[in-house]
Amino acid sequence: MASSAFLSTSHTYIGLFLVFIILLFFTILIKQSRTLKRGKVKFYEMKRQLEESEMLFRTIFEQAPLGISIGSSDDFAKEFSSKFQPVNKMYEEILGRTNDELAGMDWESVTHPDDIEYDKSQLKRLLAHEIDNYSLEKRYIKPDGTYTWVNLVMARLDLDNSSAQNRMCIVQDINNKKMAEESLKESERSKAVLLSHLPGIAYRCLPDQSRTMQFMSDGCFKLTGYCPEDFINNEKLAYSDLIAIEYRNIIWKEWERLQTLKTTFRYEYEIVTASGECKWVMELGQSIYDDNGKVEALEGIIFDITERKNKEEQIKYLSEHDFLTDLYNRKFFDNEKNRLDMMDDCLPVTVIVVNINGMRLINDAFGYDEGDQVIKEVAKIIENCCRKSDIIARTAGDEFSIIMMNTSNYDGTYVQRELQKCCEAHNRKNKDRSFDISFSCGIGTKENASESIDKALKEASDVMHNRKLLNSKSSHSAILSSIMATMYERSHETEEHAKRIAFISRKIGENMNLPSNILDELELFSMLHDIGKIGIDDRILNKPGKLNDLEIYIMKKHPEIGYRIAMSSPELEPVAEYILYHHERWDGTGYPKGLKGEEIPLLSRILAVSDAYDAMTEDRIYRKAMAVDDAVEEIKSHSGTQFDPEVVRVFAENYNKIETNSNKLSMIM
């Protein structure tokens, strides 16, 4: 609700209408007065003119575009309690009520409760002759419970020779205007709320290089550490001072370019906050043009995208790097190789290929965790021998590739030698490892632009494979020796036990007239039959008491582990199947496949007898050795169930000779 002086500029329309009525009224009175003075008309003529005047006033009253009510009363108290006086049609339309409905209603009953007191106080002053008029904006309640806004002007009419309280009430429908104002206020409120919760800055600035701010939202402090007022008209600093130096000119040139094209601005860049922290932001903006098409301001929003950029960098890093070694991966290597192939200023380009020897054997014997550790250690050796500018990538499971720009073949050969020296030094420092790390290298060089890095890479790969073939036998033998030594250290099995079983097995094979090459396989197999135990936990291998069900299940995995180890080595591949089946039983109740009878390889059946015999006739930590004769009888009792009857027969018929020779072997050992 608001008050203003009568005929104020905000109510010019109503004021002009009142002036018009008053002037018209006085014009008629003057005309009638002159007529009477001249005596030119008779009484009936005067009456006619008065009727015409009354009709004119009635017409104006009824057809006025404003709501009008003119009334009077002789009693102040009656006037103050004022019922509605007759109103014109526009008044009825504004209130949504007819004259008959209004006649019996108090004006307070149709006035909004929040507007009554002020209206009442002003009316009291008017009737007390303290003021001649007053105006206010108020709300009338319609029959359906809604309300409408009006601009109300109440004026006292002092007529000569009248003791009555006369007044004129004029109302103008301003509901649409008020609704628009309320909508605007709501819009402004919503905008203020939106800006206060905006995860960044809304701004308006001058189109200058320092980005002189005219407005910045409250999110400024959270994003920059500075208050919005610090930037307004560059009070303490310009916004451009926050932008990282390397982006300032780029961003301004982009703004200038887009102003010419009249397109929107979008750019990502870094800012430095009040605390010195670097943040990534995205700016979205546009130029604001005046009527002449000249840029008068820049407007937009600035968002904090630091978290998104960090995630993008992380994703990019993961997409370009090997998860195990943190070196580059094959995809990045190929992209860089293709990029460098198009450049001449990096020549000569030397490529080195490094491949770890015996990786499959290491994985099968010691597990993939140990294999992964070897890969990581080789990666560190390569990194330590290369420059930061060199591109080092893990291009296969056990293979690395290195691209060295502006590096001759001679210099690349020096790096290759350093790699081998560093590997040897690493092995000397890691004496606790059960085997040494070794790898083979190859080198190739792109000398001129007409060649390709792919050609140099193929050359390096061919050299590496040739060296790997030369080194494979020695490296496999070294790893196998390490595996066997580790197995003997970890379990109660001894090298002597393995040699005795190998001797007994060979003797059984000789008595079965097996050919010499098969006897050699039998002897090798007997030495390595328990190689899979290297993959079994020490606590299970050396447990003095009885194994539980889970431990038995784990222990029964050692033939399969041994099979995988043997298959990974060309020297052991012929005996791999024998190792897999050496715990099968003649009656089919063995493991891991449950083979039966002659489905079991003969050499595995022979080993089953010799292994059982040696186990029974040697002291163990959990029992004493059995007598030889008792052990033979025990084996014979399981003929046809656990053991091959033919193998048992040959062993039983020849065990005395075998035992004698075995004792001699023990004395020699």
Side-chain angles (χ1 to χ4, degrees), residues 288-439:
I288 305 301
Y289 301 88
D290 61 17
D291 294 338
N292 298 319
K294 183 180 178 181
V295 178
E296 63 179 12
L298 308 177
E299 291 185 350
I301 51 178
I302 302 169
F303 291 104
D304 184 350
I305 59 169
T306 304
E307 185 176 353
R308 194 203 80 192
K309 291 293 285 188
N310 289 340
K311 288 181 179 179
E312 286 178 357
E313 288 298 318
Q314 185 180 12
I315 292 170
K316 182 182 178 183
Y317 183 89
L318 293 174
S319 70
E320 293 179 347
H321 288 76
D322 172 56
F323 74 96
L324 184 62
T325 63
D326 276 341
L327 299 178
Y328 291 119
N329 57 23
R330 183 58 183 259
K331 178 183 176 182
F332 181 86
F333 179 84
D334 287 340
N335 289 338
E336 286 298 288
K337 178 190 66 177
N338 295 334
R339 182 180 68 85
L340 294 174
D341 243 344
M342 307 298 292
M343 299 169 57
D344 295 338
D345 57 349
C346 60
L347 295 174
V349 176
T350 292
V351 182
I352 297 178
V353 177
V354 180
N355 192 280
I356 303 172
N357 295 325
M359 196 69 239
R360 182 180 174 188
L361 185 56
I362 293 169
N363 284 333
D364 289 337
F366 299 100
Y368 285 96
D369 288 343
E370 181 66 28
D372 288 346
Q373 188 60 35
V374 170
I375 291 170
K376 288 192 280 188
E377 290 176 9
V378 172
K380 289 178 182 177
I381 291 171
I382 296 173
E383 277 191 293
N384 291 335
C385 293
C386 292
R387 304 166 299 189
K388 288 185 178 180
S389 60
D390 296 333
I391 299 168
I392 310 169
R394 183 185 175 201
T395 48
D398 56 358
E399 187 170 286
F400 302 86
S401 299
I402 309 164
I403 298 178
M404 296 180 290
M405 295 170 283
N406 304 116
T407 304
S408 66
N409 190 274
Y410 177 83
D411 292 334
T413 302
Y414 174 80
V415 173
Q416 185 178 348
R417 290 183 187 137
E418 286 299 305
L419 286 171
Q420 295 293 352
K421 287 181 182 179
C422 287
C423 183
E424 292 169 5
H426 177 273
N427 288 333
R428 286 194 297 270
K429 283 195 293 186
N430 288 275
K431 286 300 180 183
D432 56 332
R433 185 182 289 283
S434 57
F435 60 90
D436 288 343
I437 295 174
S438 86
F439 49 73

Side-chain angles (χ1 to χ4, degrees), residues 272-283:
V272 181
T273 67
S275 64
E277 179 188 2
C278 290
K279 288 184 178 180
W280 275 97
V281 298
M282 175 189 286
E283 183 175 349

